Amino acid sequence: MNTHPRKTSTFLAAAAVIALLQPAIGHTQTMENLADKARKLVVPITGKTDDRLEMVATFDHQVTGVTVSQDGRVFVNFPRWSQDVPVSVAEVMKDGSIKPYPNEEWNAWRNARMNEISPKDHFVTVQSVVTDNKGSLWVVDPAAPNSEKTIKDGPKLVQIDLRSNAVKRVYPFTPDVAGPASYLNDVRIASDGAFAYFTDSGSPGGLVVLDLISGKAWRALSDDPSTQFEKEVVIHTDGKPLRRPDGRQPQFNADGIALSKDDRTLYFQALTGKTMYKVSTDDLQKAATDPAAVKAEKFADTEPTDGLWIDDQNRIYLSTMENNGVKVLGPDGKVTPFLEDSRLRWPDTFAQGPDGALYITASHIQDSPWFNEGWTDTSFTLFKFAPPK
């Protein structure tokens, strides 16, 4: 067996540090957590890192969504997938700590107390947070703990006023829009504040349109090939196919979403897929009375990707889990690798700050109990980087 001397010495050094820590840690720390600490120590040397990727904050629980307000406030969310997390939506403070947002009561839901707490006015399983240009934070709650069956009366979109830090309006989704197997994934808000567009990565996959004035919502492209996983596509992480302990491959439907700056075109793709589609938002709005009006059009060949973001130059950023990286889809349809970093395990969601910096979460989905007997890496981190010029 060939052994790289630098890697070997690094692991030995990490082991020595852990050995020194262990007496102080005692029996309260598991060997799994110690191994995680060792990985964090050696990654900067043994893994591929990019100095352009700057750490913003680290968290104790799995993070998916991130958004940045026009005045630079940063918000994140923690889904209740494998853990009954104590906070669903939080503001990231300047020192990296988190504060439940908008308050502790909205974050008071616990899976273990679901019969005691109303899902209508509490966060159940928040998947995404997005700010708009009008001073609101929008919270997507598919209300499906562990991505399983939705909680009755739980699926909703919550609007929070960033000035008063108070909930302004709750948009509940009826079962015909967010059924028992649905999973509302991400949202984009039209710049005029009239409509919201969602991907549903549950079953069946599809898009959801919400009229923010009337509160009426409807599905579009539901169970359409454009919103379903591609059967021939296999997700790879760490150089091998990603599989659950029982051998199943993940089959994620419509996930990533981006809205053009003129609000006229919505881009989306299935996570388990290699095809990005686009659709006219005018057609999506017409689908309220004429579902047949919506026709998805292939936009580009891509690869399995989780988050999408479109910038002022009409470049679409892809978070690519196969290489722990970020790629850029140009207006010419060409995909170009931009950034790769071993700390960016399962790059998830993008957001852009008022200074132009792009923020991205590492949700470590491949390290989760969905694909292992337990967590194998819990270094949940929020990063940021400067976009290409």
Side-chain angles (χ1 to χ4, degrees), residues 142 144 147-148 150 179-185 199-207 219 222-223 227-229 251-255:
S147 294
E148 296 174 346
T150 57
S182 74
Y183 194 85
L184 297 174
N185 195 292
T199 46
D200 186 341
S201 58
S203 181
L207 302 180
R219 294 183 68 86
S222 188
D223 210 18
T227 58
Q228 310 307 297
F229 71 90
Q251 299 173 338
F252 300 115
N253 291 323
D255 191 306

Side-chain angles (χ1 to χ4, degrees), residues 13 25 32 59 63 70 81 84 114 117 140 145 187 201 208 215 220 232 262-263 269 280 288 296 307 332 340 342 379:
I25 295 170
E32 180 179 296
F59 311 107
V63 61
Q70 291 185 313
W81 285 346
D84 198 4
M114 65 173 58
I117 302 177
V140 180
V187 67
S201 58
V208 170
E232 70 279 7
D262 61 6
D263 291 336
Q269 82 167 68
S280 161
D332 59 358
E340 185 174 328
S342 56
S379 50

Side-chain angles (χ1 to χ4, degrees), residues 1-23:
M1 178 178 70
N2 294 324
T3 304
H4 193 291
R6 187 181 184 190
K7 290 187 177 182
T8 301
S9 60
T10 304
F11 276 107
L12 290 173
V17 172
I18 296 301
L20 291 173
L21 290 172
Q22 199 164 5

Side-chain angles (χ1 to χ4, degrees), residues 67 69 71 73-78 86-93 98-108 121-123 126 129-131 135-139 158-168:
T67 190
S69 68
D71 58 358
R73 296 169 70 184
V74 179
F75 301 89
V76 293
N77 71 266
F78 307 93
V87 177
S88 291
V89 178
E91 181 171 2
V92 181
M93 311 310 289
I98 62 171
K99 178 182 179 181
Y101 194 82
N103 52 48
E104 292 186 359
E105 182 57 35
W106 263 94
N107 285 272
D121 52 7
H122 293 85
F123 298 135
V126 174
V129 287
V130 174
T131 55
S136 288
L137 172 71
W138 301 86
V139 180
V158 180
Q159 181 185 13
I160 303 172
D161 180 72
L162 291 172
R163 294 180 183 86
S164 64
N165 298 315
V167 171
K168 185 175 182 179

Side-chain angles (χ1 to χ4, degrees), residues 20-100:
L20 291 173
L21 290 172
Q22 199 164 5
I25 295 170
H27 297 293
T28 62
Q29 182 67 276
T30 65
M31 290 305 296
E32 180 179 296
N33 288 335
L34 291 174
D36 187 31
K37 287 179 179 291
R39 272 192 295 272
K40 293 176 186 178
L41 287 170
V42 302
V43 157
I45 297 177
T46 63
K48 182 174 183 178
T49 59
D50 191 315
D51 292 339
R52 294 173 297 177
L53 193 66
E54 178 184 345
M55 185 182 298
V56 176
T58 58
F59 311 107
D60 294 331
H61 300 282
Q62 186 179 28
V63 61
T64 53
V66 60
T67 190
V68 187
S69 68
Q70 291 185 313
D71 58 358
R73 296 169 70 184
V74 179
F75 301 89
V76 293
N77 71 266
F78 307 93
R80 287 191 170 90
W81 285 346
S82 64
Q83 297 174 307
D84 198 4
V85 296
V87 177
S88 291
V89 178
E91 181 171 2
V92 181
M93 311 310 289
K94 297 297 184 182
D95 62 359
S97 63
I98 62 171
K99 178 182 179 181

